[in-house]
């Protein structure tokens, strides 16, 4: 099935102007060699380095049309699974569904004073939270992921933190469901002589990094997921650690293998109950306030923060202040996020404007 999907999508790549194609970099591990692959102006570039030199490598992330956006990333030696729970920070910045829209992402982070124009972390001990969906529709998916990878290290050095929670598009790419993938990524993989599905395996740097990320996290008073927590998940009574441990081994498994693992696993990856797909806070049949309260009580939080579903008026509160929806359409230059600072919540945009958020009756 995956090969059929790849072949179907590739049809749209025929006739593409290869000279304008830029993609990457992708870091793959081949035995005792670290291989950097990228496409620059339609030309595949490959460089190999001894694995023993990994700690000295800085991966260049380049933008042919915008060299002022270029940056370098130092590869990390250790890749540790993220904790499921964190204490309440004084400052929080929430964003979701960037999906490779690097320009808007960069501009929003600069205007919100999370970073400066040279990618230095300027948010101090604040925590930045990405509620899923790094992949598919935008033109700069790997570049956006590398920026997040880089900022994680900068945030920790400053006493802050960057959380990346996986969304349905991230799981789809890891498991071979490429129905929303922009065709350029298949074309660039072909130019590099690689199968697209080899770019994020356990033998790649970004693939290893993605597999350390969680399905759900508690950050102080906030329960953070991509889509939300359905009543069926509440009924399981699982801890956050249990949910993440149950989900993680199946991030890169095809739907048939997930179904074979049984309902206790498949409900986390498909259907209306999935934390990656649930829309019950915004669409019928909508969650009752009692069901939302049950989630808050079960995990000891004051609100649930989610992306996944675009609602007119986002970024905004729902169910009073019990749910916050942060998904906006970055693909039409609607770059917004949520900011918690000095005890207040704000909607912020890429122009540096902020609007205080109040409780909603919805």
């Amino acid at each position: 099935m995956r090969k059929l999907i790849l072949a179907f999508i590739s049809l749209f790549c025929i006739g593409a102007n290869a000279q304008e194609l830029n993609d990457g970099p992708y870091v793959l591990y081949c035995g005792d060699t670290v291989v950097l692959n990228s496409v620059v102006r339609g030309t595949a570039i490959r460089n190999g380095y001894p694995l023993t030199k990994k700690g000295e490598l800085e991966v260049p992330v380049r933008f042919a049309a915008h060299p002022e956006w270029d940056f370098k990333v130092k590869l990390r030696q250790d890749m540790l699974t993220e904790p499921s729970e964190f204490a309440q920070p004084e400052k929080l910045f929430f964003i979701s569904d960037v999906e490779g829209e690097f320009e808007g992402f960069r501009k929003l982070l600069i205007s919100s004073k999370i970073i400066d124009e040279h990618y230095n972390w300027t948010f101090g001990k604040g925590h930045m939270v990405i509620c899923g969906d790094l992949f598919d529709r935008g033109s700069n998916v790997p570049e956006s992921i590398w920026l997040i990878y880089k900022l994680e290290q900068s945030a920790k050095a400053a006493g802050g933190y960057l959380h990346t929670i996986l969304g349905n598009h991230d799981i789809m790419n890891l498991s071979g469901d490429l129905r929303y993938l922009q065709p350029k990524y298949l074309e660039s993989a072909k130019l590099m002589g690689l199968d697209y599905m080899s770019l994020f395996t356990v033998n790649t740097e970004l693939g290893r990094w993605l597999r350390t990320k969680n399905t759900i996290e508690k950050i102080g008073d906030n329960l953070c997921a991509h889509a939300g927590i359905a009543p069926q998940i509440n009924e399981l009574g699982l801890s956050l650690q249990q949910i993440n441990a149950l989900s993680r081994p199946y991030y890169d498994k095809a739907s048939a293998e997930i179904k074979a693992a049984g309902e206790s696993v498949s409900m986390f990856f498909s259907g209306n109950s999935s934390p990656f797909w649930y829309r019950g806070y915004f669409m019928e049949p909508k969650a009752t306030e009692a069901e939302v309260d049950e989630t808050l009580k079960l995990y000891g939080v004051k609100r649930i923060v989610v992306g996944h579903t675009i609602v007119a008026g986002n970024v905004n509160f729902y169910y009073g202040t019990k749910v916050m929806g942060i998904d906006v359409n970055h693909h039409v230059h609607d770059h917004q996020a949520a900011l918690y600072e000095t005890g207040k919540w704000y909607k912020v945009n890429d122009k540096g404007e902020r609007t205080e958020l109040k409780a909603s009756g919805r």
Side-chain angles (χ1 to χ4, degrees):
M1 177 59 72
R2 182 173 67 81
K3 290 183 178 179
L4 287 174
I5 293 173
L6 287 170
F8 178 77
I9 298 176
S10 293
L11 292 175
F12 293 93
C13 296
I14 297 174
N17 187 346
Q19 291 182 344
E20 299 301 320
L21 191 60
N22 299 282
D23 190 27
Y26 299 96
V27 176
L28 285 68
Y29 296 99
C30 302
D32 59 358
T33 305
V34 183
V35 182
L36 275 60
N37 292 273
S38 60
V39 175
V40 179
R41 298 190 185 280
T43 299
I45 298 173
R46 177 176 298 165
N47 293 295
Y49 304 90
L51 186 60
T52 54
K53 298 291 185 180
K54 177 184 175 182
E56 303 171 20
L57 288 180
E58 285 191 316
V59 177
V61 181
R62 298 192 175 99
F63 299 84
H66 293 279
E68 71 276 12
W69 295 354
D70 291 0
F71 61 92
K72 293 182 179 180
V73 184
K74 187 172 183 179
L75 297 179
R76 59 189 65 174
Q77 294 286 48
D78 299 316
M79 204 70 74
L80 303 176
T81 298
E82 292 286 337
S84 297
E85 298 190 26
F86 298 81
Q88 175 72 34
E90 291 186 4
K91 297 188 295 183
L92 279 160
F93 179 84
F94 288 95
I95 187 172
S96 76
D97 299 81
V98 174
E99 297 178 6
E101 293 292 346
F102 184 89
E103 180 175 7
F105 184 41
R106 176 181 182 272
K107 190 175 180 181
L108 181 57
L109 294 184
I110 292 171
S111 67
S112 302
K113 299 184 176 7
I114 308 301
I115 62 173
D116 64 20
E117 292 187 356
H118 303 289
Y119 304 106
N120 296 305
W121 177 264
T122 56
F123 202 44
K125 296 181 179 180
H127 286 216
M128 174 177 162
V129 186
I130 302 172
C131 287
D133 279 5
L134 309 176
F135 282 85
D136 276 342
R137 297 183 177 97
S139 298
N140 298 111
V141 166
E143 296 92 336
S144 299
I145 297 176
W146 281 118
L147 178 57
I148 295 165
Y149 179 105
K150 172 184 176 68
L151 293 179
E152 272 191 355
Q153 300 174 74
S154 304
K156 286 182 181 179
Y161 213 90
L162 199 163
H163 309 254
T164 302
I165 295 161
L166 297 186
N168 60 307
H169 286 275
D170 310 318
I171 297 301
M172 291 167 73
N173 274 258
L174 289 177
S175 63
D177 184 346
L178 306 179
R179 72 184 98 160
Y180 298 112
L181 185 70
Q182 185 182 134
K184 70 161 277 188
Y185 298 111
L186 296 176
E187 184 69 11
S188 64
K190 187 189 305 182
L191 285 171
M192 292 184 289
L194 299 168
D195 184 328
Y196 176 80
M197 289 304 298
S198 72
L199 301 179
F200 298 100
T201 70
V202 293
N203 292 321
T204 70
E205 184 70 4
L206 293 183
R208 294 176 182 180
W209 178 84
L210 287 161
R211 287 164 175 79
T212 69
K213 304 309 174 189
N214 289 324
T215 300
I216 186 169
E217 289 183 10
K218 175 182 176 180
I219 306 170
D221 294 331
N222 308 282
L223 187 66
C224 308
H226 177 59
I229 303 301
Q232 298 94 317
I233 302 297
N234 286 342
E235 291 170 4
L236 298 176
L238 297 175
S239 70
L240 301 182
Q241 291 85 351
Q242 288 172 323
I243 290 174
N244 288 323
L246 180 65
S247 301
R248 185 170 286 104
Y250 295 92
Y251 285 167
D252 57 3
K253 302 299 186 289
S255 58
E257 188 170 349
I258 291 173
K259 287 179 182 177
E263 179 65 19
S264 61
V265 171
S266 62
M267 69 185 301
F268 283 90
F269 290 90
S270 62
N272 295 334
S273 67
S274 168
F276 300 113
W277 290 96
Y278 182 60
R279 298 189 191 271
Y281 302 135
F282 312 105
M283 299 174 63
E284 299 294 341
K286 292 183 68 174
T288 66
E289 189 151 0
E291 290 168 339
V292 172
D293 287 340
E294 181 61 26
T295 303
L296 300 182
K297 179 181 178 182
L298 183 60
Y299 296 108
V301 294
K302 293 181 179 178
R303 72 191 58 80
I304 307 160
V305 184
V306 296
H308 187 56
T309 303
I310 296 175
V311 181
N314 273 357
V315 173
N316 216 338
F317 282 126
Y318 302 85
Y319 297 87
T321 59
K322 297 174 183 178
V323 172
M324 174 174 280
I326 61 171
D327 188 11
V328 296
N329 192 345
H330 293 276
H331 307 299
V332 296
H333 309 292
D334 184 12
H335 306 300
Q336 299 187 76
L339 175 68
Y340 174 78
E341 192 173 60
T342 62
K344 295 181 180 180
W345 285 94
Y346 301 92
K347 175 193 296 189
V348 297
N349 64 25
D350 59 347
K351 301 176 183 64
E353 300 166 340
R354 61 169 64 182
T355 304
E356 187 175 350
L357 294 175
K358 302 293 184 181
S360 169
R362 292 174 286 182

